[in-house]
Amino acid sequence: MATVSPPLPVAATRGSRIVLADGRELIDGIASWWTACHGYNHPHIRAAVAEQLDRMPHVMFGGLANEPALRLARRLAGILPDPLGRVFFSESGSVAVEIALKMALQYWLNQGVRGRHRFVSFQGAYHGDTFAAMSVCDPEEGMHSLFAGALPKQHVVPLPEDEAGMAAFDTYLARHGEDVAAVIVEPLVQGAGGMRFHVPETLRTLRAGLRQARSSAQVVPDIVTLSKALTGGTMALAATVASDRVFEAFLSDDADAALMHGPTFMANPLACAAANASLDLFEREPRLAQARAIEGHLAAALEPARELRGVVDVRVKGAIGVIQLDDMRRIDWLKARFVDAGVWVRPFADIVYVTPALTIDEADLTRLTDALTDVVTAWSRER
Ligand SMILES: *Cc1c(COP(=O)(O)O)cnc(C)c1O
């Protein structure tokens, strides 16, 4: 059995660098799972959090409101497409998914519709680690297969990728859709499922198909969950954003109609201040252009790896670069070589991938992709 290497103690972070306790500095290829999109310790976010810390680190959200939360909710509603405007804050992506699922269930109950208590999700999906979220993850390939017996059974179906897939999905919904409360899907990419990018048609056909299926299966996706990069990698925060139509189903004189969820740290002002500062940066600085530039760099730098023995696929979408391998028995060897090469890259499943901070500079990005191709080349030779 391969020995699991112990975690590396980190002393500090800055920009796209991780400083280890022994003084070594690693170029971060992961941005702490997408969160540090502006790089670590961005001065604008630090200043906003420090100012909020002086004024009010936290106050309960039950019966009280705070300005950073209201401002953030308004801004998120402004950014998201139109019917999505009603924001519910929590503290992690998994909880945001729990809330979305609960909203969908209670939406139907509040309209007097009984029996819609299951969800449709897709093979390869990952939606979080709490119980309801685990139940909509891929039950076989996912990391929660151990718990299968304890989880509610959902409808897990192949992700439609073409006309035939969409037709199969429609047929499935027509046959089995009567107990479906909602369909849950990761936009653009299945992350923890192995960085699998949706073909562009998938979401479009899914949406079109669901609209058609609405009369027969009564499923319409109109809840969005946000977390990972929401605070620019500083604080735990998530949002579940619903359309007006969903929101209105919870407005009633009947107290039982209210959404039955109230996290203690809901709308934490410190986290909301950080998220507002992060949105400032998206407005003021050219993040989308930076993502496009990273995409161009990754595409050119990783492409040669496609020729290596043992490399199954090389793919790039936005600031995500992936090298898929045919054999991960030497994953610990790979992890150690990356650290030796001065970069922080965490292979998992059958992939080596990078999701760097959007602010990573050209020199660090070059060192990162050089290390990536060097280590994978060495792996390919020795396999
Ligand atoms: C990260 C992630 C989650 C879980 O978020 P946590 O904050 O780790 O609970 C859920 N769904 C998707 C698609 C994710 O990428």
Side-chain angles (χ1 to χ4, degrees):
M1 274 247 338
T3 48
V4 178
S5 42
L8 299 172
V10 177
T13 52
R14 53 174 166 260
S16 47
R17 301 288 185 97
I18 293 172
V19 184
L20 299 180
D22 63 10
R24 279 180 296 167
E25 203 163 298
L26 304 179
I27 296 170
D28 186 1
I30 308 295
S32 288
W33 287 322
W34 268 312
T35 60
C37 53
H38 314 288
Y40 295 107
N41 310 34
H42 195 289
H44 181 64
I45 300 179
R46 271 167 44 202
V49 171
E51 198 196 318
Q52 187 59 43
L53 185 63
D54 279 346
R55 198 173 324 136
M56 176 173 68
H58 184 65
V59 66
M60 66 188 280
F61 211 61
L64 298 173
N66 69 75
E67 194 272 337
L70 294 183
R71 179 145 182 269
L72 179 59
R74 267 189 222 111
R75 291 175 85 179
L76 292 176
I79 294 165
L80 286 163
D82 224 357
L84 293 164
R86 305 297 185 158
V87 182
F88 191 105
F89 289 115
S90 60
E91 60 294 71
S92 80
S94 301
V95 173
V97 167
E98 295 283 327
I99 292 164
L101 298 177
K102 209 187 215 182
M103 253 180 207
L105 294 175
Q106 200 179 337
Y107 167 84
W108 292 110
L109 294 174
N110 283 0
Q111 333 245 359
V113 178
R114 311 225 142 246
R116 291 201 172 274
H117 52 79
R118 291 170 91 191
F119 298 96
V120 173
S121 69
F122 297 98
Q123 287 166 9
Y126 172 79
H127 295 292
D129 296 345
T130 51
F131 266 74
M134 283 200 289
S135 79
V136 287
C137 293
D138 189 304
E140 273 127 45
E141 281 182 53
M143 56 196 197
H144 303 309
S145 53
L146 191 64
F147 303 103
L151 299 174
K153 288 268 169 300
Q154 312 294 6
H155 300 280
V156 184
V157 301
L159 190 67
E161 300 199 311
D162 54 20
E163 293 283 314
M166 201 60 233
F169 181 70
D170 281 346
T171 307
Y172 186 92
L173 278 188
R175 280 210 196 116
H176 306 284
E178 69 291 332
D179 64 358
V180 171
V183 175
I184 181 165
V185 64
E186 288 156 274
L188 293 175
V189 49
Q190 289 185 326
M195 292 293 175
R196 287 184 257 189
F197 306 147
H198 297 340
V199 296
E201 285 70 36
T202 291
L203 286 184
R204 215 174 309 138
T205 45
L206 204 55
R207 211 179 299 131
L210 289 170
R211 216 174 283 134
Q212 273 171 17
R214 191 173 163 182
S215 52
S216 56
Q218 297 263 319
V219 278
V220 178
D222 58 358
I223 303 172
V224 161
T225 60
L226 308 168
S227 189
K228 292 242 164 49
L230 191 53
T231 65
T234 54
M235 317 271 302
L237 183 69
T240 305
V241 188
S243 67
D244 291 335
R245 190 166 59 85
V246 170
F247 177 78
E248 277 151 22
F250 292 83
L251 289 182
S252 163
D253 293 334
D254 178 2
D256 287 347
L259 181 66
M260 293 301 164
H261 210 100
T264 304
F265 275 93
M266 186 176 196
N268 171 246
L270 269 183
C272 291
N276 277 311
S278 174
L279 291 183
D280 294 342
L281 293 174
F282 274 103
E283 286 168 5
R284 288 180 203 163
E285 298 184 7
R287 291 291 175 270
L288 299 187
Q290 287 167 323
R292 271 192 300 276
I294 293 171
E295 179 171 41
H297 180 111
L298 291 176
L302 303 187
E303 189 54 31
R306 195 184 295 281
E307 305 305 319
L308 298 172
R309 211 157 47 91
V311 169
V312 174
D313 190 26
V314 172
R315 55 185 179 270
V316 173
K317 193 186 206 75
I320 309 172
V322 181
I323 302 177
Q324 188 179 345
L325 307 179
D326 68 352
D327 174 4
M328 280 305 239
R329 271 173 301 180
R330 298 176 72 215
I331 190 166
D332 289 318
W333 182 91
L334 282 166
K335 287 178 183 173
R337 291 297 80 71
F338 285 125
V339 173
D340 292 345
V343 300
W344 182 242
V345 175
R346 293 285 286 174
F348 79 93
D350 58 352
I351 60 166
V352 170
Y353 75 102
V354 288
T355 53
L358 301 178
T359 50
I360 191 169
D361 65 29
E362 184 68 28
D364 273 10
L365 186 57
T366 301
R367 278 186 56 193
L368 179 63
T369 50
D370 283 354
L372 213 60
T373 48
D374 287 353
V375 170
V376 172
T377 302
W379 168 88
S380 172
R381 285 208 191 100
E382 289 182 29
R383 62 197 284 282

PDB file of all heavy atoms in Angstrom, residues 243-264:
ATOM      1  N   SER A 243     -35.855  32.126  -7.921  1.00  0.00           N
ATOM      2  CA  SER A 243     -36.655  33.048  -8.741  1.00  0.00           C
ATOM      3  C   SER A 243     -37.805  33.602  -7.903  1.00  0.00           C
ATOM      4  O   SER A 243     -38.159  33.068  -6.850  1.00  0.00           O
ATOM      5  CB  SER A 243     -37.230  32.292  -9.940  1.00  0.00           C
ATOM      6  OG  SER A 243     -38.171  31.333  -9.477  1.00  0.00           O
ATOM      7  N   ASP A 244     -38.409  34.665  -8.402  1.00  0.00           N
ATOM      8  CA  ASP A 244     -39.568  35.246  -7.716  1.00  0.00           C
ATOM      9  C   ASP A 244     -40.677  34.206  -7.554  1.00  0.00           C
ATOM     10  O   ASP A 244     -41.355  34.160  -6.533  1.00  0.00           O
ATOM     11  CB  ASP A 244     -40.115  36.442  -8.507  1.00  0.00           C
ATOM     12  CG  ASP A 244     -39.133  37.612  -8.475  1.00  0.00           C
ATOM     13  OD1 ASP A 244     -38.338  37.691  -7.515  1.00  0.00           O
ATOM     14  OD2 ASP A 244     -39.152  38.431  -9.419  1.00  0.00           O
ATOM     15  N   ARG A 245     -40.840  33.395  -8.581  1.00  0.00           N
ATOM     16  CA  ARG A 245     -41.929  32.396  -8.537  1.00  0.00           C
ATOM     17  C   ARG A 245     -41.733  31.419  -7.379  1.00  0.00           C
ATOM     18  O   ARG A 245     -42.674  31.096  -6.657  1.00  0.00           O
ATOM     19  CB  ARG A 245     -41.972  31.631  -9.871  1.00  0.00           C
ATOM     20  CG  ARG A 245     -43.177  30.739 -10.054  1.00  0.00           C
ATOM     21  CD  ARG A 245     -43.291  30.317 -11.523  1.00  0.00           C
ATOM     22  NE  ARG A 245     -42.101  29.597 -11.952  1.00  0.00           N
ATOM     23  CZ  ARG A 245     -41.923  28.284 -11.769  1.00  0.00           C
ATOM     24  NH1 ARG A 245     -42.851  27.558 -11.180  1.00  0.00           N
ATOM     25  NH2 ARG A 245     -40.823  27.716 -12.186  1.00  0.00           N
ATOM     26  N   VAL A 246     -40.508  30.969  -7.167  1.00  0.00           N
ATOM     27  CA  VAL A 246     -40.225  30.074  -6.042  1.00  0.00           C
ATOM     28  C   VAL A 246     -40.432  30.842  -4.732  1.00  0.00           C
ATOM     29  O   VAL A 246     -41.102  30.368  -3.809  1.00  0.00           O
ATOM     30  CB  VAL A 246     -38.786  29.523  -6.131  1.00  0.00           C
ATOM     31  CG1 VAL A 246     -38.395  28.789  -4.849  1.00  0.00           C
ATOM     32  CG2 VAL A 246     -38.650  28.599  -7.334  1.00  0.00           C
ATOM     33  N   PHE A 247     -39.884  32.045  -4.673  1.00  0.00           N
ATOM     34  CA  PHE A 247     -39.973  32.862  -3.459  1.00  0.00           C
ATOM     35  C   PHE A 247     -41.425  33.070  -3.039  1.00  0.00           C
ATOM     36  O   PHE A 247     -41.796  32.929  -1.866  1.00  0.00           O
ATOM     37  CB  PHE A 247     -39.285  34.208  -3.728  1.00  0.00           C
ATOM     38  CG  PHE A 247     -39.360  35.186  -2.604  1.00  0.00           C
ATOM     39  CD1 PHE A 247     -38.530  35.063  -1.489  1.00  0.00           C
ATOM     40  CD2 PHE A 247     -40.256  36.255  -2.650  1.00  0.00           C
ATOM     41  CE1 PHE A 247     -38.595  35.974  -0.447  1.00  0.00           C
ATOM     42  CE2 PHE A 247     -40.320  37.164  -1.614  1.00  0.00           C
ATOM     43  CZ  PHE A 247     -39.491  37.036  -0.512  1.00  0.00           C
ATOM     44  N   GLU A 248     -42.259  33.386  -4.035  1.00  0.00           N
ATOM     45  CA  GLU A 248     -43.648  33.720  -3.712  1.00  0.00           C
ATOM     46  C   GLU A 248     -44.406  32.531  -3.130  1.00  0.00           C
ATOM     47  O   GLU A 248     -45.361  32.718  -2.367  1.00  0.00           O
ATOM     48  CB  GLU A 248     -44.363  34.287  -4.952  1.00  0.00           C
ATOM     49  CG  GLU A 248     -44.070  35.776  -5.098  1.00  0.00           C
ATOM     50  CD  GLU A 248     -44.113  36.263  -6.536  1.00  0.00           C
ATOM     51  OE1 GLU A 248     -44.761  35.599  -7.374  1.00  0.00           O
ATOM     52  OE2 GLU A 248     -43.482  37.312  -6.807  1.00  0.00           O
ATOM     53  N   ALA A 249     -43.968  31.320  -3.433  1.00  0.00           N
ATOM     54  CA  ALA A 249     -44.636  30.142  -2.885  1.00  0.00           C
ATOM     55  C   ALA A 249     -44.448  30.041  -1.365  1.00  0.00           C
ATOM     56  O   ALA A 249     -45.122  29.257  -0.705  1.00  0.00           O
ATOM     57  CB  ALA A 249     -44.112  28.883  -3.567  1.00  0.00           C
ATOM     58  N   PHE A 250     -43.498  30.832  -0.838  1.00  0.00           N
ATOM     59  CA  PHE A 250     -43.240  30.775   0.600  1.00  0.00           C
ATOM     60  C   PHE A 250     -43.853  31.958   1.346  1.00  0.00           C
ATOM     61  O   PHE A 250     -43.728  32.061   2.550  1.00  0.00           O
ATOM     62  CB  PHE A 250     -41.722  30.725   0.853  1.00  0.00           C
ATOM     63  CG  PHE A 250     -41.104  29.441   0.387  1.00  0.00           C
ATOM     64  CD1 PHE A 250     -40.757  29.263  -0.943  1.00  0.00           C
ATOM     65  CD2 PHE A 250     -40.907  28.393   1.273  1.00  0.00           C
ATOM     66  CE1 PHE A 250     -40.210  28.065  -1.379  1.00  0.00           C
ATOM     67  CE2 PHE A 250     -40.352  27.200   0.843  1.00  0.00           C
ATOM     68  CZ  PHE A 250     -40.008  27.030  -0.492  1.00  0.00           C
ATOM     69  N   LEU A 251     -44.489  32.866   0.611  1.00  0.00           N
ATOM     70  CA  LEU A 251     -45.117  34.035   1.232  1.00  0.00           C
ATOM     71  C   LEU A 251     -46.550  33.681   1.572  1.00  0.00           C
ATOM     72  O   LEU A 251     -47.348  33.396   0.695  1.00  0.00           O
ATOM     73  CB  LEU A 251     -45.131  35.216   0.258  1.00  0.00           C
ATOM     74  CG  LEU A 251     -43.807  35.896  -0.051  1.00  0.00           C
ATOM     75  CD1 LEU A 251     -44.051  37.066  -0.985  1.00  0.00           C
ATOM     76  CD2 LEU A 251     -43.101  36.347   1.211  1.00  0.00           C
ATOM     77  N   SER A 252     -46.848  33.705   2.874  1.00  0.00           N
ATOM     78  CA  SER A 252     -48.199  33.323   3.260  1.00  0.00           C
ATOM     79  C   SER A 252     -48.426  33.744   4.700  1.00  0.00           C
ATOM     80  O   SER A 252     -47.472  33.943   5.463  1.00  0.00           O
ATOM     81  CB  SER A 252     -48.353  31.811   3.118  1.00  0.00           C
ATOM     82  OG  SER A 252     -49.469  31.357   3.828  1.00  0.00           O
ATOM     83  N   ASP A 253     -49.676  33.880   5.094  1.00  0.00           N
ATOM     84  CA  ASP A 253     -49.986  34.149   6.507  1.00  0.00           C
ATOM     85  C   ASP A 253     -49.780  32.885   7.332  1.00  0.00           C
ATOM     86  O   ASP A 253     -49.630  32.953   8.545  1.00  0.00           O
ATOM     87  CB  ASP A 253     -51.445  34.613   6.637  1.00  0.00           C
ATOM     88  CG  ASP A 253     -51.636  35.974   5.971  1.00  0.00           C
ATOM     89  OD1 ASP A 253     -50.635  36.720   5.886  1.00  0.00           O
ATOM     90  OD2 ASP A 253     -52.755  36.273   5.523  1.00  0.00           O
ATOM     91  N   ASP A 254     -49.796  31.756   6.640  1.00  0.00           N
ATOM     92  CA  ASP A 254     -49.604  30.479   7.314  1.00  0.00           C
ATOM     93  C   ASP A 254     -48.115  30.306   7.665  1.00  0.00           C
ATOM     94  O   ASP A 254     -47.272  30.232   6.775  1.00  0.00           O
ATOM     95  CB  ASP A 254     -50.076  29.363   6.360  1.00  0.00           C
ATOM     96  CG  ASP A 254     -49.869  27.974   6.947  1.00  0.00           C
ATOM     97  OD1 ASP A 254     -49.388  27.888   8.103  1.00  0.00           O
ATOM     98  OD2 ASP A 254     -50.181  26.998   6.255  1.00  0.00           O
ATOM     99  N   ALA A 255     -47.792  30.246   8.951  1.00  0.00           N
ATOM    100  CA  ALA A 255     -46.386  30.168   9.378  1.00  0.00           C
ATOM    101  C   ALA A 255     -45.709  28.914   8.832  1.00  0.00           C
ATOM    102  O   ALA A 255     -44.501  28.911   8.591  1.00  0.00           O
ATOM    103  CB  ALA A 255     -46.293  30.189  10.898  1.00  0.00           C
ATOM    104  N   ASP A 256     -46.475  27.860   8.598  1.00  0.00           N
ATOM    105  CA  ASP A 256     -45.894  26.621   8.080  1.00  0.00           C
ATOM    106  C   ASP A 256     -45.375  26.770   6.653  1.00  0.00           C
ATOM    107  O   ASP A 256     -44.638  25.919   6.163  1.00  0.00           O
ATOM    108  CB  ASP A 256     -46.936  25.486   8.089  1.00  0.00           C
ATOM    109  CG  ASP A 256     -47.196  25.010   9.506  1.00  0.00           C
ATOM    110  OD1 ASP A 256     -46.409  25.374  10.406  1.00  0.00           O
ATOM    111  OD2 ASP A 256     -48.185  24.293   9.708  1.00  0.00           O
ATOM    112  N   ALA A 257     -45.770  27.841   5.971  1.00  0.00           N
ATOM    113  CA  ALA A 257     -45.320  28.036   4.591  1.00  0.00           C
ATOM    114  C   ALA A 257     -43.900  28.582   4.529  1.00  0.00           C
ATOM    115  O   ALA A 257     -43.267  28.532   3.477  1.00  0.00           O
ATOM    116  CB  ALA A 257     -46.273  28.970   3.845  1.00  0.00           C
ATOM    117  N   ALA A 258     -43.392  29.103   5.641  1.00  0.00           N
ATOM    118  CA  ALA A 258     -42.040  29.685   5.620  1.00  0.00           C
ATOM    119  C   ALA A 258     -41.004  28.601   5.354  1.00  0.00           C
ATOM    120  O   ALA A 258     -41.203  27.435   5.706  1.00  0.00           O
ATOM    121  CB  ALA A 258     -41.753  30.367   6.948  1.00  0.00           C
ATOM    122  N   LEU A 259     -39.886  28.993   4.736  1.00  0.00           N
ATOM    123  CA  LEU A 259     -38.811  28.030   4.487  1.00  0.00           C
ATOM    124  C   LEU A 259     -38.199  27.643   5.824  1.00  0.00           C
ATOM    125  O   LEU A 259     -37.743  28.492   6.582  1.00  0.00           O
ATOM    126  CB  LEU A 259     -37.742  28.651   3.580  1.00  0.00           C
ATOM    127  CG  LEU A 259     -36.576  27.703   3.243  1.00  0.00           C
ATOM    128  CD1 LEU A 259     -37.045  26.538   2.387  1.00  0.00           C
ATOM    129  CD2 LEU A 259     -35.458  28.457   2.547  1.00  0.00           C
ATOM    130  N   MET A 260     -38.190  26.338   6.088  1.00  0.00           N
ATOM    131  CA  MET A 260     -37.751  25.861   7.395  1.00  0.00           C
ATOM    132  C   MET A 260     -36.239  25.675   7.401  1.00  0.00           C
ATOM    133  O   MET A 260     -35.733  24.567   7.305  1.00  0.00           O
ATOM    134  CB  MET A 260     -38.462  24.541   7.730  1.00  0.00           C
ATOM    135  CG  MET A 260     -39.941  24.718   7.938  1.00  0.00           C
ATOM    136  SD  MET A 260     -40.263  25.886   9.271  1.00  0.00           S
ATOM    137  CE  MET A 260     -41.982  26.262   8.973  1.00  0.00           C
ATOM    138  N   HIS A 261     -35.520  26.792   7.470  1.00  0.00           N
ATOM    139  CA  HIS A 261     -34.066  26.723   7.515  1.00  0.00           C
ATOM    140  C   HIS A 261     -33.542  28.033   8.107  1.00  0.00           C
ATOM    141  O   HIS A 261     -34.004  29.102   7.734  1.00  0.00           O
ATOM    142  CB  HIS A 261     -33.488  26.507   6.116  1.00  0.00           C
ATOM    143  CG  HIS A 261     -32.202  25.748   6.134  1.00  0.00           C
ATOM    144  ND1 HIS A 261     -32.112  24.416   5.865  1.00  0.00           N
ATOM    145  CD2 HIS A 261     -30.944  26.145   6.447  1.00  0.00           C
ATOM    146  CE1 HIS A 261     -30.859  24.011   5.990  1.00  0.00           C
ATOM    147  NE2 HIS A 261     -30.129  25.046   6.347  1.00  0.00           N
ATOM    148  N   GLY A 262     -32.594  27.968   9.009  1.00  0.00           N
ATOM    149  CA  GLY A 262     -32.059  29.194   9.607  1.00  0.00           C
ATOM    150  C   GLY A 262     -30.701  28.968  10.224  1.00  0.00           C
ATOM    151  O   GLY A 262     -30.560  28.786  11.429  1.00  0.00           O
ATOM    152  N   PRO A 263     -29.652  28.969   9.392  1.00  0.00           N
ATOM    153  CA  PRO A 263     -28.314  28.715   9.930  1.00  0.00           C
ATOM    154  C   PRO A 263     -27.889  29.803  10.921  1.00  0.00           C
ATOM    155  O   PRO A 263     -28.190  30.980  10.721  1.00  0.00           O
ATOM    156  CB  PRO A 263     -27.405  28.758   8.697  1.00  0.00           C
ATOM    157  CG  PRO A 263     -28.294  28.791   7.509  1.00  0.00           C
ATOM    158  CD  PRO A 263     -29.631  29.247   7.942  1.00  0.00           C
ATOM    159  N   THR A 264     -27.200  29.406  11.982  1.00  0.00           N
ATOM    160  CA  THR A 264     -26.785  30.346  13.031  1.00  0.00           C
ATOM    161  C   THR A 264     -25.981  31.507  12.451  1.00  0.00           C
ATOM    162  O   THR A 264     -26.202  32.658  12.796  1.00  0.00           O
ATOM    163  CB  THR A 264     -25.925  29.600  14.077  1.00  0.00           C
ATOM    164  OG1 THR A 264     -26.686  28.498  14.568  1.00  0.00           O
ATOM    165  CG2 THR A 264     -25.547  30.512  15.232  1.00  0.00           C
TER     166      THR A 264
END
